[in-house]
Amino acid sequence: MRVARPINKWYNDDENKIARQRQGVTSTPPPAAGDAPPEAAETLHRRDIIPISSPCGKRIFHTARDYYSLCSAFLSPNIFYARRQTMKSIGKCLSEKYVLNGIIESHFSDAYAYIFDYMFNFILYNLSLLTLGFLFHHPIAVTIYIIITGSLRAVTGGYHCKTRISCYILSYTVFSIYLLTIATIPMISAYILIPIYIICWILILVVSPVDTPNKVFSKSAKKTARKKTYIIFFFNSIFTILSLLLHWNKGLIFIDLSLIICATGLYTGYISNIRRHHES
């Protein structure tokens, strides 16, 4: 890369200048041919484009990422500046609008932005699942899946992905496996489905709630979460008994698969928390 040579030359000249100043020599050599032009230097030192490292802005880069940022500023500073701009989320825009209108206080802006983003993502995700359920002719199965997994996930916690993209990929992958399973699994006897239901709920009640990086349960919060989990278990058991009395084995299959997914997520999060605790 042609840009790298003048950048390295400029960086080395700065280092030599520092060494001479420490030795008491104040004179500086003339700029070498091929050095970066003044326009590039002005672009480089714009703090809204490239953050200059301390102490005096002499060290231009320390890592490969800083080196790439430096080259990008010389090649196309306007495009690079646009990429460095952070896009505001819908929740952030709504919270700022509420602050301007005096509906909420400014120090609650970030909290409301998170709540708005969470609600928007929750609604969009569930609507997408319902749409897929209608497209694949399984609306009832998808509705049961959303109710069970959504309520338990919100109350008991569980496994948490590191990035939002990986969370979306994992969520839709698990849902696709659920749809594929209910479409291919043969009819199972209730004498098998009921014990699976009981085992799943025992596993869930033993370990829940499970902390996530975004939601760490205090002692009082854990008690509240356990109470809510028992309430979900109560209503879920009523629906399961009704399905059993009506001989609706498909409904029992939907419930059991949803509970298996929830229990898997809980124990995956529980194991990852133990590993994280040992590493720290």
Side-chain angles (χ1 to χ4, degrees), residues 10-265:
W10 186 20
Y11 175 72
N12 293 331
D13 287 343
D14 283 343
E15 291 294 315
N16 295 333
K17 183 178 176 181
I18 295 172
R20 284 192 299 273
Q21 287 177 353
R22 291 175 180 174
Q23 296 174 1
V25 181
T26 57
S27 60
T28 57
D35 280 354
E39 296 82 8
E42 181 181 355
T43 302
L44 174 69
H45 287 82
R46 284 178 58 185
R47 291 186 178 272
D48 54 350
I49 297 180
I50 303 292
I52 304 300
S53 302
S54 59
C56 301
K58 295 297 182 181
R59 294 189 177 274
I60 305 302
F61 56 88
H62 291 281
T63 63
R65 183 179 180 182
D66 293 334
Y67 187 83
Y68 171 76
S69 301
L70 187 64
C71 296
S72 301
F74 277 99
L75 292 174
S76 53
N78 293 330
I79 297 175
F80 181 72
Y81 176 70
R83 280 186 294 177
R84 292 291 297 227
Q85 294 263 348
T86 56
M87 294 181 63
K88 291 183 180 180
S89 63
I90 295 177
K92 187 69 174 177
C93 294
L94 286 174
S95 64
E96 289 180 354
K97 185 177 180 181
Y98 284 178
V99 170
L100 291 175
N101 293 335
I103 300 175
I104 62 175
E105 299 179 9
S106 59
H107 57 276
F108 290 131
S109 176
D110 292 336
Y112 276 92
Y114 175 80
I115 294 172
F116 289 144
D117 284 333
Y118 178 83
M119 292 174 60
F120 177 75
N121 292 328
F122 179 79
I123 294 172
L124 185 63
Y125 172 70
N126 289 329
L127 285 177
S128 65
L129 295 190
L130 285 174
T131 303
L132 291 173
F134 278 102
L135 288 175
F136 290 98
H137 309 289
H138 294 292
I140 298 176
V142 173
T143 303
I144 293 174
Y145 175 86
I146 292 173
I147 293 173
I148 294 177
T149 59
S151 58
L152 283 176
R153 174 69 177 175
V155 173
T156 61
Y159 180 72
H160 184 80
C161 296
K162 294 182 179 180
T163 62
R164 183 173 294 183
I165 295 176
S166 60
C167 181
Y168 284 140
I169 293 173
L170 180 61
S171 298
Y172 284 107
T173 301
V174 171
F175 177 72
S176 300
I177 295 172
Y178 172 79
L179 280 182
L180 183 63
T181 304
I182 63 176
T184 57
I185 193 171
M187 192 62 64
I188 302 175
S189 172
Y191 295 104
I192 299 175
L193 295 174
I194 293 300
I196 294 175
Y197 173 85
I198 296 172
I199 292 171
C200 286
W201 265 114
I202 291 174
L203 293 174
I204 292 172
L205 293 173
V206 166
V207 76
S208 64
V210 176
D211 293 336
T212 66
N214 293 335
K215 187 177 182 181
V216 178
F217 291 91
S218 61
K219 290 184 178 180
S220 60
K222 284 184 177 181
K223 291 181 180 179
T224 304
R226 287 195 185 99
K227 291 179 181 179
K228 292 180 179 180
T229 306
Y230 280 110
I231 293 173
I232 296 172
F233 167 68
F234 175 74
F235 285 104
N236 194 188
S237 298
I238 291 176
F239 184 77
T240 302
I241 293 171
L242 290 175
S243 300
L244 181 63
L245 294 176
L246 296 173
H247 304 285
W248 190 39
N249 284 20
K250 280 190 175 182
L252 296 176
I253 293 174
F254 302 155
I255 295 170
D256 283 357
L257 287 175
S258 301
L259 290 176
I260 290 172
I261 292 171
C262 291
T264 304

